[in-house]
């Protein structure tokens, strides 16, 4: 009977495509993040919260709206500049921090490309369904449509900062950077919503402030 339960448990995890592990990664500041294996990829299941590049150089915190808008180098902020938001949602980064050659992700990890995000989304059912399996079941505004977090990705609705510096949609939206730029001023992103099951590939101005999830190197 115990063997049968064990076999059934393994089958359920295999079907969900999730290998429950106790793996962790540590960033330059000593922050420790849990990871989860989804199909062939291993993702951080928490948002990045680091303020130094891999070489130890500081990433500046920028609060002033005009300064933020004009930046062509990496920067971060907390949602509405409230450190309490950082404890749950991590930091919001502009894309210039993502692209900095000094490295933003913890050692052994990287910022996922558009194609790597697509692998995750397609495995979880495509853009019209994947969001429900990625969204956490708490902190989202009602109705948090379809949220099951079956993948254990645990996406929280940290909102975002627009290029001119204002903040929007905490509780309503998860917005993550991809590493690919589209053209001079834009880069690829992924969005999840409180009112639908989708996980949609979009683009955003590089000057925006978005969350970051890192992917372990293979």
């Amino acid at each position: 009977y115990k063997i049968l339960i064990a076999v059934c448990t393994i089958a359920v995890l295999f079907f969900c495509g999730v290998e429950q592990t106790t793996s962790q990664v540590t960033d330059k500041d000593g922050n420790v993040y849990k990871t989860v294996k989804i199909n062939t990829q291993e993702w951080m299941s928490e948002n990045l919260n680091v303020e130094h590049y891999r070489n130890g150089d500081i990433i500046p915190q920028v609060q002033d709206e005009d300064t933020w808008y004009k930046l062509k180098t990496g920067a971060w902020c907390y949602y509405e500049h409230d450190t309490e938001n950082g404890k749950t949602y991590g930091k919001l980064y502009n894309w210039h921090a993502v692209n900095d050659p000094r490295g933003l992700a913890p050692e052994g990890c990287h910022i996922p490309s558009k194609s790597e995000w697509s692998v995750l989304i397609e495995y979880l059912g495509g853009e019209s369904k994947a969001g429900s399996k990625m969204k956490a079941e708490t902190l989202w505004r009602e109705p948090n449509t379809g949220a099951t977090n079956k993948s254990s990705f645990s996406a929280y609705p940290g909102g975002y900062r627009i290029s001119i510096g204002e903040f929007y949609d905490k509780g309503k939206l998860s917005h993550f950077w991809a590493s690919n730029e589209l053209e001079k001023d834009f880069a690829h992103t992924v969005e999840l919503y409180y009112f639908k099951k989708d996980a949609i590939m979009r683009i955003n101005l590089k000057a925006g402030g978005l969350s970051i999830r890192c992917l372990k190197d293979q």
Side-chain angles (χ1 to χ4, degrees), residues 95 99 178-188 203 206:
W95 189 82
N99 192 48
S179 61
N180 311 75
E181 61 183 336
L182 179 64
E183 53 186 52
K184 179 182 177 182
D185 296 320
F186 294 89
H188 291 279
I203 60 171
K206 294 177 180 178

Side-chain angles (χ1 to χ4, degrees), residues 72 142 145 159 183 191-192 209:
K72 299 298 180 184
E142 293 296 332
T145 301
E183 53 186 52
E191 289 184 2
L192 311 177

Side-chain angles (χ1 to χ4, degrees), residues 204-218:
N204 198 80
L205 284 165
K206 294 177 180 178
L210 310 185
S211 300
I212 290 177
R213 284 294 179 95
C214 299
L215 184 60
K216 289 194 74 172
D217 300 339
Q218 292 182 319

